[in-house]
Amino acid sequence: MFKDTPAFSGFSVDDIAAAKTFYAETLGVNVSDDNAMGMLNLHLKGGGEVMIYPKNNHVPAEYTVLNFAVENIDEAVDGLSAKGVKFEHYDGQMKTDAKGVARGKTTGMGPDIAWFKDPAGNILAVLEGDK
């Protein structure tokens, strides 16, 4: 039914201006305003789009809402850290190292991945590989 239907994802934030600054300036994503609706649109490589909408009673997602596939996770983490991004640290099965990277390749647990939050507290990730 929806095989040929365009689709997009979306999530909420509590401050559109802070989100625009973070996604456009800190992450370097192409961002456009939807002034009529007070929303933002992220334009991702490959044609994907994500709608970010304001929500007064926003509650941050407890899961990863957006993943960025990078060629070199250490360079990505170092670059984001230099811009003030703080990485999450986890114990357990997906234990992260001092940088905040879960080294999945060396443990056979998937890609190397690091999680961080946007200004609204939504969880994002960079991971090494295609997806």
Side-chain angles (χ1 to χ4, degrees):
M1 176 175 197
F2 295 119
K3 180 178 92 171
D4 297 318
T5 302
F8 60 93
S9 181
F11 55 87
S12 70
V13 298
D14 54 1
D15 184 335
I16 285 289
K20 183 176 183 178
T21 298
F22 179 77
Y23 285 95
E25 295 177 19
T26 304
L27 300 185
V29 174
N30 290 325
V31 177
S32 64
D33 294 299
D34 182 342
N35 293 324
M37 300 294 289
M39 298 184 285
L40 299 175
N41 292 301
L42 304 182
H43 305 279
L44 307 173
K45 181 180 177 182
E49 294 202 12
V50 177
M51 175 183 65
I52 297 179
Y53 56 93
K55 187 174 180 192
N56 291 335
N57 59 348
H58 166 76
V59 176
E62 295 180 359
Y63 51 86
T64 307
V65 297
L66 189 58
N67 295 283
F68 294 94
V70 297
E71 290 184 24
N72 185 306
I73 195 160
D74 289 295
E75 287 179 8
V77 168
D78 291 345
L80 289 170
S81 294
K83 292 182 174 195
V85 173
K86 304 289 184 213
F87 285 85
E88 300 298 301
H89 292 272
Y90 300 110
D91 287 320
Q93 189 175 16
M94 295 301 289
K95 183 174 175 50
T96 53
D97 62 17
K99 283 179 133 176
V101 179
R103 305 286 175 177
K105 284 192 228 174
T106 59
T107 62
M109 299 290 295
D112 291 350
I113 186 167
W115 295 271
F116 59 101
K117 293 180 179 177
D118 73 2
N122 294 309
I123 301 170
L124 312 175
V126 290
L127 58 96
E128 192 169 288
D130 294 334
K131 44 184 162 171

